Amino acid sequence: MKNRKNYSLIIGITIVSILFLLFLMGIFYTPYDPDAMNGSEKMLAPSIQHLFGTDQFGRDIFSRVLKGIGTTFLIAISTVCLGAGIGVLIGVLTGYFGGWLDEVLMRVNDAIVAFPSILLALIFISVLGAGKNNVVLALAIVFIPSFARMTRSEFLANRDMDYVKSAKLMGVSSLRIMLVHILPNAIPTILSMMAIGFNNAILAEAGMSYLGIGVQPPEASLGRMLSESQIYLSRAPWIAIFPGLAIVLLALSFSLISEGLSKKGER
C-alpha cells in the first residue's frame, strides 16, 4: 500500500516554521520600537511604512505582533516543557511501580482534574498575581495531570510485556527499563500530547492576557492587543485583525501537528 502524505503534519510544521522565523526576527529586529508611542501616527491604515498599520497610540502593529508572537511562543514552550516534564515523571513512577505511590499521586491528579482547567488557572493567577512567569506556572500545573495520566497508561500497558519481563530476568535496573525500554514506546503519544498542549497554552495565554491577568504592559501580548482594540473595530479593524490572525495561525498549526502525529502513530 502506497504511503499517503501526511498533509496535516506538513502544513502544521510549515506554519509553525514561518511563525518561528518571525519570532526569531522579532528578537533581533523590528521595524519600529514596539512600545514607542507616536501621537501623530495614530490608527494609520496598513501601508509600506507600517505593514500592519498603527494602533490607537501610534505604535507599529507589525512590530508589536512580532514581539507578541515571541511572547506567546516562550510562554507556550515554557508551560508545556514544565508541565510535560513533571507529568511524565509522575506517569513513569506511578505506571511502573504502582502501589501506594500510584494511589497518592493519582488522587492528587484527580483532584486537579476535577476543576475546569481554565478556572483552575485563573484561581492560581488570582493567588500568585498577574505576570508572564505566573501564567507559565499556573498553566504548567494545569497541564500536569493530562501528561501524567497518558504516560501512566502507556507504562501500565507495557510493564507486563515479555520484553520487560526478559529485561528484569537479565538483571536490568528499573531505571534503565523505564528510560530505555518503555519510555521510547510512549514518545509518539507524548509528542502528540505536547502539540495539543502548545495549542491549549497559546489559547489560554491569549485569553488571560485578553482579560488583563496575563502578560502585563508595556510588554506586547497578542491577547492584550485584541482586548485593547475592541473599541476601535469600526474605525481601525486592522488593530484587531493582525494579532487575531496570529493567534489563529499559532493555534491552528499546533492542532494540525497534533492531528498529523496521531495519524502517523496509527500507521
Side-chain angles (χ1 to χ4, degrees), residues 233-256:
L233 285 175
S234 60
R235 296 167 56 193
W238 54 86
I239 299 178
I241 288 174
F242 293 108
L245 183 61
I247 293 173
V248 170
L249 288 176
L250 279 167
L252 175 63
S253 62
F254 284 109
S255 179
L256 289 172

Side-chain angles (χ1 to χ4, degrees), residues 87-103:
V88 168
L89 177 61
I90 292 173
V92 167
L93 295 176
T94 57
Y96 185 79
F97 292 108
W100 65 267
L101 182 65
D102 184 26
E103 287 295 324

Side-chain angles (χ1 to χ4, degrees), residues 116-139:
S117 56
I118 295 300
L119 176 60
L120 188 60
L122 291 175
I123 292 173
F124 280 122
I125 288 294
S126 65
V127 173
L128 300 172
K132 183 166 63 176
N133 293 336
N134 290 340
V135 168
V136 170
L137 181 59
L139 292 178

Side-chain angles (χ1 to χ4, degrees), residues 2-22:
K2 186 178 180 180
N3 288 332
R4 291 179 296 178
K5 289 187 177 180
N6 194 333
Y7 287 106
S8 296
L9 189 60
I10 294 172
I11 295 172
I13 290 177
T14 301
I15 297 174
V16 167
S17 299
I18 293 172
L19 293 173
F20 188 73
L21 289 175
L22 291 175

